[in-house]
Structure formats: structure tokens, C-alpha cells
Amino acid sequence: MRILVRALGYMRNYWLLAVSAFLSLVLVTGANLVTPQLIRQLIDIGIRLGDENMVLWLAGALVVIAVVRGIFTFLQGYLSEKVSQSVAFDMRNLLFAKLQSLSFSYYDQAQTGQLMTRATNDVELVRQFISQGFLQIISAIVMLLGTAIILLVTNWGLGLIALLVVPAMLVVIGSFIRNIIPRFRLVQQRLGVLNTILQENLSGVRVVKAFNRAEYENSRFHDANEAWLTVNLGIIRAFASNFPLVFLIANLGTLAVVWAGGLQVIGGGLSLGQLVAFNTYLTFLVMPVLQLGMISALVSRAAASATRVFEVLDSHSEVTDKPGAVDLPPIVGRLAFQHVNFRYVGGQSDVLQDLSFDAEPGETVAIVGATGSGKSTIINLIPRFYDVTEGAVLIDGHDVRDVTISSLRSQIGVVLQETTLFSGTLRDNIAYGRPNAAMEQVIAAAKAAEADGFIQALPDGYDTLVGERGLGLSGGQKQRIAIARAILLDPRILILDDSTSSVDSETEFRIQAALDALREGRTSIAIAQRISTVRRAHKILVLQGGKLVASGTHEELLRDNPIYADIVASQLREDTPPAEAHEAQKPMPVAATPGTGQASQEVQR
């Protein structure tokens, strides 16, 4: 119950509503406990003695109590629901904020479907417990204690007989709860797997259709759905095998009370009205126990879900502002890696090993290397998507771990290879990093990224709504929007992860021309996939196995480094610039030098 007590702690912001709901519950319970006494008097005094006035008065009193009970039942239900919805609102906001604050390493290991299940279904189950289960538990306990006291005061002998059934019922229900909680946790895990498969297929439906894998995906979803069904059926079997036993114990208790009470009525030791009232109280005694049994399922599911929710809320972000972190002042863009080692969480070896290089303001640094050589890791370390394992990353002499994350990232523009657009207008997507930017600034950024032309051609221009993940736009159009988004930040450091890979050569030439102007006075770090990118760079870093094996200009490396020559020949794509730019883009002649081998000759040809 500790995890549920923690969940109930979120009610403290709504304590007045919660107290009002509790008082309404107490009044409803009191009305229920008074009703059998009025029925006893109605039978023993009104009906048995033929007192019509007493019958009318008691009947009227029963009506008033029913009305009062109805009013406070409504208040209790409404107020408890309002409290629970407010708590769920807070928990969802906290979960979302937590997910936004967690570092990349957390998402490297988490599944999107599982996180979605925790933020929606798991929070809803906790809400249901607060709205229904918690107050019903209180109601059951109050009713159970109140009924037990009245039974013992009315007739202690019959009261003891009636109370004998309670421990037996609680033993069965307690065993049921202990066995059912792990199953409910498994239900939520299986639901998370199901949601993960669903999310993957909805986002990758084009791949599924392109590779004709619909039958395979149907089978995969069917298996996950069947696993979820199997766990649910196991829970149903647990209910079916336990609750008939609880009802049997309750019925045996009722039989014992009616038998013993009937003998007392025949012997004159108990009135008929008292027996009827006593039997009604017996129902009040049994029903809370049965109610606790039914609530146990809700409690078990809520406990499992609360555990999953708090696992996220308690997760530790590896990248956070250190105590005493200061805002990074406006930078000029001097970047330095000093003996950097980096290893991903759970990794067996370092991805980067003793990496050192400098980049001065106004310089463009291109990074080349085979897949897995550490290119993307370098650009992830600059804005602190990850923290270095050893060494340091410095910007203008400041260790990036010593400044606040927000002040660091606000001065860095990032254009990733995989473009992400959000639902909203094109204007909103360009101004994502500067939502208060003037429209003129948005248009200027779009023009610099060669995006203004196709945007203006759309019927709604910059007010055009973007489909999910940017559907409706071509790959090149989405990439130009992403470049405009980075340009609008006016950053001192630009990070370009193969940012022109999805555009044609002519559009790339225009974007590169715009980026050349933007690079003036800025530090640019680019993962290169095209020869034009490395040719423009002031410095090229050649990575192999996480190590920096060479650095220099395009001409220097092509002349002196066979690894770079092989990369140029086998990995970098040649450009076909537009005719008017052909002369400007013409490759420089390279003399054959010893050591460059066949790869260098291939580049010359």
C-alpha cells in the first residue's frame, strides 16, 4: 500500500474537496445505519400495535433519509471525481515534464509504447483508485465498524455469530489480493508491448507496405494481443475461483443468524422487528467485506500502475544542471574537445577514445568516417545530449557541464539528418526555437534556407498545417524547414548532421550558398556525406573506430591520408551542381602522390 499512499499524497493540493467528499461519505453511511432502526420501530410499534400515526411518521422519516442520502451520495461522487481528475491532471503533467527532462540515454533503453501506456492507461487506473477505490475502502471500513458496534449492542450473542464470518472472508480476500497484484503488473507490461507494436506500425506503415510485411506484422500483433488476453483471462479465473467462496461464507453466516434469531423470536427473547433489523445489519456487515473484495481488484491494478508511473517519475537524468551552474554568456563559438572519452550506458567499450580538436569562430569543421566511427556522438556531446565519460567539451573556455543546459542549447542551432516536424503551421515549425519571432524574421530564415519559394506556392502559405511528422511535404522540403528553424535561432554554433542529404543538387547549392554566408563568424560542425561539404570545410576530422586518425583540409588529407582517400572514393557522394555554378564547383586537380593509392586516382577521374 506504500505506493498507493504516495499516490494519495497528490490529493494534498485539493484537501478541501477531499474532506468535503469524506464528510458526505460519513453522512451517507450514517443514513444507511439509521434506516434499519426506523424499520424496526415501524414493525414493532407502528404495524404490530396498529399505530397509523407512527407508521406515517416513520415512513416520512424514511423518505427524508432517502432524499438526504441521495443528495450526499451525489456530492460524494462528484467531489471525489473532481479530486481524482485533478490528481490525474497533475500526474500527467509531471510525467510529461519528467520525460522532457530525461537525457537521451533514458530513451536509448525505453520503449515509446511503454511510456505512452504509463502516461495514459496507468495514470487513469490510479485516478480510478482515488475516485472510487479509496473512498469505497473508507466507506466499507466505517460501515463495517458501525455495523459491528450496533450488532453487539443490540444482541451480543447474535452479533458474535454474525462477526464470525468476517475473518474467514477477509482471509480469502487477502489471499486473492496477494496473488492478483503481480498479474495486474504483468497486464500493464503486456499492454505496453501491444502499444509499442501498434505505435511502430502506425509510424512505419509505409515501410510495412513497401516490404509487403503486413501479414508478418498482423501475426506479431496477434501474438502480443493473445499474450495480453491470456493474462486477463488468468485474472478472471482468479475472480471466479475466489468470490463464490466469499459468497458461500456470507450465506452460511446469514443462515446461522436467521436460525439462532428465529429461535429467540419463538422463545420471546427477540421481537420480529429486531430480527428484521438485525438481518438488515448483517447485510451491512457482509456487503462491506464483499465490497473490499471487489475493490481489491481495482486496488491491485492501481498499485501495479502507480509503481510503473513512479518508476518514470523517479528516473534519474544523467544530464542535469550541476549545483551552482551559471548561465553561459553570449559566445563567439570557440569549441574545444579535450581528451574526450565516451561510452553509452550499458556499452562494453568507449565509442570515442582520447578525442581532441579545436574549432575557431568562423571555421567549418567536417566530420567523416565509417558507420559507427563516432561522428554522431561528437555532435551529441556539444549541446550535452550526453555527457562525456572522461575529458571535457569547452565552448569559449567554459566546460559545458558548468553552465545551465537552457543557456547552452539556446546558442546552438541543430539540423539533424532525421527531420522532425510538429503538428501546427509551417510558421510554427520554423519559429519553434523562437516562438515570439516576427513574421519578417521567419520569412527571412525561410528564404535563407531556400524554403520560401515552395511555402509561398502553397494555398495557405506559412499558415499551412503540417501533417503528422511532416507528411505532405517532401524530404527536401522538410529538411529546408528544419534548416530555417536553426537559422532563425541565429546561433553562434551550427551543427549540421548531413543536413542537405534529401535535396537535389541545385537546391543543395543554393542552401550551401546561404549557409556559407551564415557561417561567417560562426562555428559550424557538419557530418559530411557529400564532397561539396568537405571541400568547403576549413578542417576535416577523420574518425576510425572512435579515434581521430587524421585532420586537415580536403587537399591535405587527400594527398597524405589513404584512409580519407578511401572514404572520399567509397562513401562521399559526388555533386552535380547546376550549370551556372559548375565552374565554381569544379573539383581542384589533385596530383598523384605516393601513398594515396588507387582511391586517390579514382577521385581524380
Side-chain angles (χ1 to χ4, degrees), residues 40 86 121 145 167 180 182 185 196 235 319 326 336 374 444 476 487 492 499 560 577 595:
R40 178 184 65 79
S86 300
N121 186 264
L145 293 177
I180 207 69
R185 190 174 295 120
T196 297
I235 292 174
V319 179
V326 298
I487 291 172
R492 308 314 302 170
S499 57
D560 301 330

Side-chain angles (χ1 to χ4, degrees), residues 372-539:
S373 60
K375 303 188 298 294
S376 296
T377 302
I378 291 177
I379 64 173
N380 284 333
L381 293 176
I382 298 171
R384 282 195 74 195
F385 293 155
Y386 300 90
D387 272 339
V388 299
T389 306
E390 295 179 18
V393 177
L394 306 180
I395 294 180
D396 286 4
H398 298 276
D399 191 319
V400 295
R401 293 168 294 186
D402 294 335
V403 300
T404 60
I405 295 174
S406 60
S407 66
L408 170 67
R409 294 176 182 172
S410 65
Q411 301 188 64
I412 299 175
V414 181
V415 182
L416 300 175
Q417 183 177 15
E418 184 178 346
T419 303
T420 299
L421 300 184
F422 298 92
S423 58
T425 65
L426 289 174
R427 189 265 174 207
D428 293 336
N429 274 277
I430 294 174
Y432 189 74
R434 289 181 60 191
N436 297 323
M439 192 65 200
E440 294 77 12
Q441 295 172 308
V442 173
I443 294 174
K447 287 181 177 179
E450 288 291 323
D452 181 69
F454 80 81
I455 293 176
Q456 296 286 10
L458 297 171
D460 295 324
Y462 285 85
D463 292 325
T464 301
L465 291 174
V466 178
E468 184 179 4
R469 301 183 310 280
L471 297 182
L473 299 177
S474 69
Q477 289 172 334
K478 288 191 290 185
Q479 212 153 27
R480 279 179 275 174
I481 295 295
I483 293 172
R485 183 165 60 197
I487 291 172
L488 186 59
L489 280 177
D490 192 23
R492 308 314 302 170
I493 294 179
L494 284 172
I495 296 176
L496 307 172
D497 184 1
D498 192 22
S499 57
T500 58
S501 62
S502 297
V503 298
D504 57 78
S505 296
E506 183 172 352
T507 302
E508 183 202 12
F509 172 73
R510 292 173 178 170
I511 293 175
Q512 291 286 8
L515 290 177
D516 284 344
L518 286 167
R519 288 190 181 106
E520 188 68 30
R522 293 177 172 84
T523 305
S524 299
I525 309 296
I527 292 180
Q529 297 292 341
R530 284 182 168 174
I531 292 177
S532 60
T533 303
V534 298
R535 187 176 287 124
R536 283 182 170 85
H538 297 88
K539 183 186 296 182

Side-chain angles (χ1 to χ4, degrees), residues 4-167:
L4 292 178
V5 170
R6 181 179 174 184
L8 291 173
Y10 285 81
M11 296 171 60
R12 60 182 173 270
N13 294 329
Y14 312 98
W15 67 269
L16 186 59
L17 291 174
V19 169
S20 299
F22 174 74
L23 292 177
S24 298
L25 173 65
V26 170
L27 289 171
V28 170
T29 303
N32 287 331
L33 292 174
V34 168
T35 300
Q37 293 297 329
L38 294 178
I39 294 175
R40 178 184 65 79
Q41 294 181 21
L42 181 63
I43 294 173
D44 288 344
I45 300 175
I47 296 176
R48 188 172 66 84
L49 300 179
D51 190 338
E52 294 182 5
N53 290 331
M54 182 61 73
V55 171
L56 291 175
W57 186 88
L58 291 172
L62 287 171
V63 171
V64 171
I65 288 178
V67 172
V68 170
R69 181 169 50 204
I71 292 172
F72 284 101
T73 298
F74 164 76
L75 287 175
Q76 178 259 311
Y78 172 76
L79 293 174
S80 62
E81 189 70 19
K82 187 172 182 178
V83 170
S84 71
Q85 291 288 356
S86 300
V87 169
F89 172 82
D90 291 343
M91 292 188 77
R92 282 192 294 267
N93 282 339
L94 287 171
L95 266 174
F96 189 80
K98 185 67 176 185
L99 290 172
Q100 295 297 306
S101 70
L102 291 172
S103 56
F104 277 30
S105 59
Y106 180 84
Y107 294 97
D108 291 340
Q109 304 172 66
Q111 291 182 318
T112 302
Q114 292 282 0
L115 295 178
M116 291 174 62
T117 301
R118 297 183 191 213
T120 52
N121 186 264
D122 284 320
V123 170
E124 174 61 18
L125 289 173
V126 174
R127 185 202 68 78
Q128 289 179 10
F129 164 72
I130 294 173
S131 172
Q132 303 170 22
F134 176 57
L135 284 178
Q136 286 184 12
I137 289 173
I138 295 177
S139 174
I141 293 174
V142 172
M143 179 68 77
L144 191 62
L145 293 177
T147 302
I149 293 172
I150 292 174
L151 286 176
L152 292 173
V153 170
T154 301
N155 189 308
W156 68 269
L158 286 179
L160 289 177
I161 295 175
L163 290 175
L164 286 176
V165 303
V166 175

Side-chain angles (χ1 to χ4, degrees), residues 165 168-169 172 241-256 286 290:
V165 303
M169 295 170 68
V172 176
S241 60
N242 282 273
F243 278 88
L245 179 58
V246 173
F247 280 107
L248 174 62
I249 295 172
N251 290 331
L252 290 176
T254 302
L255 179 61
V286 171
L290 294 176

Side-chain angles (χ1 to χ4, degrees), residues 328-346:
L328 180 66
I331 62 174
V332 296
R334 184 171 291 104
L335 175 67
F337 274 57
Q338 295 183 345
H339 304 289
V340 168
N341 283 17
F342 177 77
R343 177 179 300 187
Y344 287 101
V345 175

